[in-house]
Amino acid sequence: MTTDAPRVAADAEDPIGLSVPRDGSSLRRRFAPLDGLRAVGALMVVVTHVSAHTATSFTEPFGGILSRFDAGVALFFVISGFLLYRPYVAARLTGGASPRTGGYLWRRALRILPVLWIAVAGVWVLFDHGTPAGQYLRHLLLVQIYWPENWVLGLTQMWSLAVEGAFYVALPLLAWLLVRTARDPLLFVRRSLLVLGVLVVASPLWIYAVTELEHPTAPQWLPAYLGWFAIGMALVTWQQARCLGILPVSRVDLLARHPGTLWLTSLVVLVIAATPIAGSRGLDAAVPGEAAFKNLAYAIFALLLVLPCIAALRNGDDPRAARALGGPLGRWLGDISYGIFAYHLLILELVGPLVGHENFTGGFWRLLLPTLAVTIPVAWLSHRFIERPIMRWGQRVYSRR
């Protein structure tokens, strides 16, 4: 992937004192802090669901913040856009070959479908109360978001996985369109960033329009969240271009070396989103302007969290706080984060009666701690004995083909 890379000058120092690598072979490929951020996103989703089940979101002074922990989904989508688009933009900037679409889709299917099917089967066996079989089939195929009345106990979080699946299918075409924007690398980067910036703005506009029209399912479709993926795609375009010296290191890099400032700002954004300006904490129907603001606020929240974890030009140059996210614990939790996301509602529904919990009666910690205590080991077992072996098997099968 580094053949025919643009020829650039030797390493140089930029005005703010950061060394810029001028050799395409130094293109950064590993972003360990994102492992820890995936875990943060998964745990945020667990917390927001526990807060809803216990009515903490509606009744406690800090409940507004907890109700907005569903912003962990935005974090997932930004990271996905960054990591999945990286091979395409790296190939474009270095003259290498883009990923084969068949192999890419094969890996994505093996990564998400087995765990999804296990979770759906578990809900069907343990909680089925006359739910039509078609509901489960739609969840198995990740198409439930295109039908009204798609709610199934223990699987309500899977709407976001359906959006993710739609992005997986759309990415090769979107990447192909972006790669064709210009032959010159610098012009390609600038045009790509412009197009991706337009997508960031387009998603809140989509949310506003379909909410105004009171469409029953369109607020869950990919266009509503494509802006979140586009932020990740823009970040990796910017980061890889800087690694190759196509873009200069700028003041943004200096800001990115202060993760505490950015992460505190992201918390402020979440606090603002917890006010009525972003809509109700509960199940009240969304107002178009509030829904659009919430979508944009979550995008900014995720951007501020991710930026310090990807801005460094070389592995190991991340700020200390970002490196901590990529440490052993962060990597381990990141590995099992998909299992945490997929299984936690099923486990929450099982654990609740065992600890004497009744929905909407409080008991946040009484429900959260045992839910995590069961979910984390189950997610580890799933990763160790299901997800990782299947991925290795799939790689061998595809290599033989």
Side-chain angles (χ1 to χ4, degrees), residues 69-147:
F69 270 34
D70 58 344
V73 174
L75 193 54
F76 279 141
F77 288 179
V78 170
I79 293 173
S80 289
F82 184 94
L83 293 176
L84 295 180
Y85 186 53
R86 193 207 65 80
Y88 292 96
V89 71
R92 173 63 183 83
L93 294 178
T94 62
S98 295
R100 292 179 179 270
T101 301
Y104 156 78
L105 292 175
W106 172 251
R107 290 190 297 273
R108 290 296 90 203
L110 291 178
R111 182 68 188 96
I112 66 171
L113 292 181
V115 169
L116 167 68
W117 293 345
I118 292 171
V120 172
V123 168
W124 178 70
V125 170
L126 296 170
F127 301 123
D128 182 59
H129 299 292
T131 302
Q135 287 279 53
Y136 293 108
L137 179 60
R138 291 166 191 163
H139 280 77
L140 290 173
L141 299 177
L142 290 177
V143 296
Q144 74 275 16
I145 59 175
Y146 307 109
W147 274 265

Side-chain angles (χ1 to χ4, degrees), residues 208 211 279 284-292:
Y208 185 96
T211 304
D284 297 337
V287 175
E290 295 170 352

Side-chain angles (χ1 to χ4, degrees), residues 85 167 170-171 173-182 186-205 223 225-235 237-238:
Y85 186 53
F167 174 71
L171 178 60
L173 176 60
L174 183 57
W176 180 77
L177 292 173
L178 287 171
V179 163
R180 292 169 59 87
T181 56
L186 179 58
L187 190 57
F188 157 72
V189 170
R190 288 176 173 173
R191 288 182 177 177
S192 294
L193 293 177
L194 177 61
V195 172
L196 294 168
V198 170
L199 292 180
V200 173
V201 176
S203 282
L205 295 178
Y225 306 100
L226 189 56
W228 297 355
F229 293 106
I231 287 175
M233 297 169 69
L235 284 174
T237 302
W238 170 74

Side-chain angles (χ1 to χ4, degrees), residues 52 85 149 177 192 206 214 258 264 299 338:
Y85 186 53
E149 305 298 331
L177 292 173
S192 294
W206 171 279
E214 298 183 355
H258 298 278
L264 181 60
Y338 177 43

